[in-house]
Amino acid sequence: MASFYSNGKLLITGEYLVLDGAKSLAVPTKYGQNLVVSSIQEQELVWESFTLKNERWLQVVFDLPKLRIMSATFDAKEEGGDDTLAENLQKVLLEAKKMNPTFLANREGSYVKSELTFARDWGLGSSSTLINNIAQWAQVDPFQLQFNTFGGSAYDIACAQHNTPIIYQLKENKPFVLEAPTFDPNFKEQLYFVHLNKKQNSREGIAKYKKFKGNISAFADEVSALTEAFINCSELNDFEKLVVEHEQLIASIIKQEPVQSVLFSDYFGQTKSLGAWGGDFILATGNEDTTSYFNQKGFATVIKYQDMLL
């Protein structure tokens, strides 16, 4: 039996611009995904994925060693109710096998149980934690596995592997990761994460961003400077000013109104979108009244900073 674990992620600064070389601040979460592999007598790979509540939402049986899908059972409410769940998993496994031909080559059967420790719609990295776990199992480079399958910046892969905040940057399409343990705001008790009741498709957000035709390099430099300012910020008022500046900058690029303007114009603190705008979690500054404010607006999941991050 072999077991693997990967951390979830949140991107605090640099959304979208991280794809174009901006320095971005990302943080691993206390939530993640487990992967346990055990041997079975049958010459096949049986994969089962479970939710936080131990409910199975995906079962796929592959033949070995070719990894053809023999059967698939999945939650029809997700991903349009089609076979993309099983096919995406097959795509990752085949790519891992291509990168390491000895992976799953001895025809020994395996049972794999993958289990999230966060709700599937939270957007904390169900795909990135899966890829990082499979990469560990297959003994291949997780960044390359991500680039070869789902694409993106792969900052989430870096979070899966680190237990402190990180500065992430792509240089000539290669990932550079610098741990940033100094990002530990003394006002963290006034920071909250609020779920917007829907999961954002990051690939769709990236596609919209790529339609922008402006001077990306200049904006990337601005975001890099903002990232450094976020890390070194020691006062809540200054932090809130940085949030506003960052939101306005991204809004000017993607031509989308900041979440504060759209949903929370009467909020007494500041809010910031994280990752692809329009879903998943936002960051909010606030106080003891923050949870009740968002609850009254219909947003039930409000998590304190220290309860979310490692």
Side-chain angles (χ1 to χ4, degrees):
M1 180 180 293
S3 61
F4 310 95
Y5 178 79
S6 295
N7 302 320
K9 51 73 183 178
L10 285 169
L11 188 64
I12 304 297
T13 69
E15 59 269 27
Y16 301 108
L17 275 301
V18 67
L19 293 160
D20 289 290
K23 288 183 181 179
S24 301
L25 174 62
V27 291
T29 68
K30 292 180 179 178
Y31 304 95
Q33 186 164 190
N34 295 295
L35 189 75
V36 179
V37 183
S38 53
S39 298
I40 58 175
Q41 292 184 345
E42 294 79 8
Q43 191 178 314
E44 57 192 24
L45 171 61
V46 180
W47 183 289
E48 293 188 328
S49 295
F50 291 83
T51 67
L52 173 65
K53 297 180 180 179
N54 202 35
E55 298 170 340
R56 191 183 72 187
W57 59 272
L58 176 66
Q59 182 190 58
V60 188
V61 179
F62 301 92
D63 75 347
L64 291 173
K66 293 187 176 181
L67 288 172
R68 289 176 297 211
I69 297 174
M70 299 171 64
S71 65
T73 304
F74 47 88
D75 185 345
K77 300 189 295 294
E78 300 292 338
E79 306 293 333
D82 57 21
D83 291 328
T84 57
L85 290 166
E87 290 172 351
N88 284 341
L89 175 59
Q90 181 190 42
K91 178 181 179 180
V92 175
L93 291 170
L94 285 171
E95 184 60 32
K97 187 173 175 61
K98 180 179 177 181
M99 294 170 66
N100 178 9
T102 66
F103 177 53
L104 298 175
N106 60 7
R107 296 175 179 265
E108 180 182 88
S110 295
Y111 170 73
V112 179
K113 181 178 182 180
S114 187
E115 185 174 19
L116 291 168
T117 66
F118 58 88
R120 287 183 64 202
D121 65 347
W122 277 13
L124 294 184
S126 54
S127 296
S128 57
T129 52
L130 171 69
I131 285 180
N132 194 66
N133 281 338
I134 290 176
Q136 293 180 81
W137 177 27
Q139 298 182 322
V140 299
D141 181 352
F143 289 101
Q144 199 60 50
L145 184 59
Q146 169 86 344
F147 292 143
N148 292 353
T149 53
F150 294 158
S153 70
Y155 84 87
D156 42 10
I157 296 296
C159 284
Q161 303 173 354
H162 287 80
N163 295 325
T164 68
I166 60 170
I167 298 174
Y168 183 85
Q169 188 175 23
L170 284 175
K171 297 180 181 179
E172 297 180 353
N173 296 319
K174 294 182 180 180
F176 286 82
V177 184
L178 178 66
E179 291 191 349
T182 54
F183 181 68
D184 186 26
N186 53 21
F187 47 84
K188 60 185 173 228
E189 292 185 358
Q190 294 171 272
L191 300 179
Y192 299 80
F193 295 101
V194 183
H195 192 251
L196 295 184
N197 297 338
K198 61 179 179 178
K199 190 177 188 304
Q200 179 69 357
N201 186 317
S202 58
R203 287 186 284 276
E204 290 180 2
I206 289 171
K208 292 179 181 178
Y209 162 72
K210 287 186 174 179
K211 293 179 180 178
F212 176 72
K213 303 298 183 182
N215 186 354
I216 291 295
S217 61
F219 285 115
D221 290 342
E222 286 189 59
V223 165
S224 294
L226 282 170
T227 293
E228 297 285 355
F230 267 81
I231 292 171
N232 296 314
C233 189
S234 59
E235 299 293 336
L236 180 62
N237 287 341
D238 293 335
F239 187 85
E240 289 182 324
K241 291 176 183 177
L242 291 171
V243 165
V244 173
E245 184 177 352
H246 197 294
E247 287 287 275
Q248 291 175 345
L249 177 62
I250 301 302
S252 71
I253 295 173
I254 64 173
K255 310 303 180 187
Q256 188 172 329
E257 285 292 312
V259 67
Q260 186 113 359
S261 301
V262 177
L263 297 175
F264 309 119
S265 59
D266 60 342
Y267 183 53
F268 48 82
Q270 291 296 329
T271 59
K272 183 187 180 302
S273 293
L274 307 175
W277 283 25
D280 298 333
F281 280 94
I282 60 169
L283 173 68
T285 65
N287 55 32
E288 63 275 5
D289 296 323
T290 291
T291 298
S292 60
Y293 169 88
F294 286 106
N295 288 169
Q296 290 170 12
K297 291 280 188 177
F299 302 97
T301 303
V302 181
I303 302 175
K304 293 181 179 179
Y305 177 97
Q306 56 266 41
D307 293 335
M308 173 71 85
L309 302 189
L310 283 175

